[in-house]
Amino acid sequence: MKYLTPNKSNSQPKPESSPQKEPKKGGSDYLELLARWIVALISLPVIFISHIIAQFVTPGTPGYKLVGAIGFWIGTLLSTDSIWQVLFQGKPIFPWFEQEWIGWIGWLQLPFNVLFWISFGISALVQVMEARTLRGKNPQQAKHEFEDSKQYTLGTKPTGNIDLTVALWGDYKAAGMKERHTGGAIALFFWVLDLTTTFVGRNPFRYTNPGLILACFAYNVVSMMAGEIGYGIWKLTK
């Protein structure tokens, strides 16, 4: 009986392929690498500054939130000046359009004055309430409230029932309207308070120069709106 023997061609191992030799780097390659390093070193400060700026303009970053917080604080501080003058008879915090102000020594003493922080708190509350009236509801919230209110179907006004039934029907019909009217009244109160304290604290019509009248009037408007703008920026950064 003959035994089958494997073919010699199959039994011999395949020769391994020799590794490809890496091309040697010439002088031009080293010059190119050196040029890249020089460009990277030169552009490093610019890239670093760009990354810092990006932290202040990219939503969600700590720098962006810091800008919003600073805007709210500065805007509220501008509005605090009027409340500080009118409600607590304090000297003007800023020298603009004022005959006298607290000065730099007064600025150092402000953090230790309780009335100043009360004025700042009132100003912050005013700015937040005014910002909410200016901003209003977002579309998603308004849509949700509208869809939620449609599930309640009002029946016809009852006749031949006791007064309590008619009164309860009226409460059901006007449900939520009292809060809506109250919110409007509160917003109007804060707007009137801000307008009064701003123009009483800095009356633009005490000047005779038309340019100063317009400048003081414009500054009053800016000081009123600065807090709302700062609060809006701060809300966008959250």
Side-chain angles (χ1 to χ4, degrees):
M1 182 176 181
K2 294 182 179 181
Y3 294 95
L4 296 176
T5 58
N7 193 353
K8 292 183 179 181
S9 61
N10 295 334
S11 61
Q12 293 179 356
K14 294 181 179 180
E16 295 182 358
S17 59
S18 59
Q20 296 180 355
K21 296 181 179 180
E22 295 182 356
K24 294 183 178 181
K25 293 183 179 180
S28 60
D29 296 329
Y30 287 109
L31 290 176
E32 182 180 358
L33 181 62
L34 179 63
R36 289 180 181 179
W37 277 102
I38 294 175
V39 172
L41 290 175
I42 294 175
S43 61
L44 185 62
V46 179
I47 296 174
F48 179 71
I49 295 174
S50 301
H51 281 295
I52 293 178
I53 295 175
Q55 288 293 317
F56 290 98
V57 297
T58 305
T61 57
Y64 195 71
K65 296 179 181 179
L66 179 62
V67 170
I70 292 175
F72 177 60
W73 274 77
I74 294 177
T76 303
L77 189 60
L78 289 175
S79 301
T80 302
D81 190 17
S82 303
I83 296 176
W84 166 254
Q85 292 184 53
V86 177
L87 297 185
F88 299 101
Q89 300 301 309
K91 287 186 177 181
I93 300 176
F94 301 104
W96 308 300
F97 306 105
E98 304 291 352
Q99 297 178 352
E100 60 175 347
W101 66 300
I102 60 174
W104 299 113
I105 302 299
W107 263 91
L108 296 177
Q109 297 173 351
L110 272 182
F112 306 99
N113 194 321
V114 179
L115 295 179
F116 166 75
W117 289 109
I118 294 176
S119 302
F120 188 88
I122 294 174
S123 176
L125 178 62
V126 170
Q127 307 314 313
V128 170
M129 296 303 296
E130 290 179 349
R132 288 183 176 179
T133 59
L134 289 175
R135 188 175 63 254
K137 298 178 182 178
N138 60 69
Q140 188 64 30
Q141 180 184 359
K143 179 182 178 181
H144 175 73
E145 292 180 357
F146 171 70
E147 296 293 340
D148 184 65
S149 65
K150 289 197 303 181
Q151 63 179 314
Y152 302 101
T153 304
L154 183 67
T156 58
K157 185 175 181 179
T159 57
N161 297 93
I162 60 175
D163 293 342
L164 179 60
T165 304
V166 179
L168 293 175
W169 179 87
D171 292 341
Y172 180 41
K173 180 177 180 296
M177 293 303 297
K178 290 183 180 180
E179 292 82 357
R180 188 180 184 89
H181 294 320
T182 303
I186 293 174
L188 180 62
F189 167 77
F190 281 112
W191 276 102
V192 171
L193 175 64
D194 195 13
L195 187 66
T196 303
T197 54
T198 299
F199 281 88
V200 170
R202 284 179 304 275
N203 182 13
F205 299 103
R206 64 186 174 184
Y207 301 105
T208 56
N209 189 336
L212 286 177
I213 294 175
L214 290 176
C216 185
F217 188 88
Y219 175 73
N220 285 345
V221 174
V222 170
S223 65
M224 288 179 59
M225 302 301 296
E228 290 86 79
I229 296 173
Y231 179 75
I233 296 174
W234 179 67
K235 288 293 291 183
L236 290 175
T237 61
K238 294 187 66 177

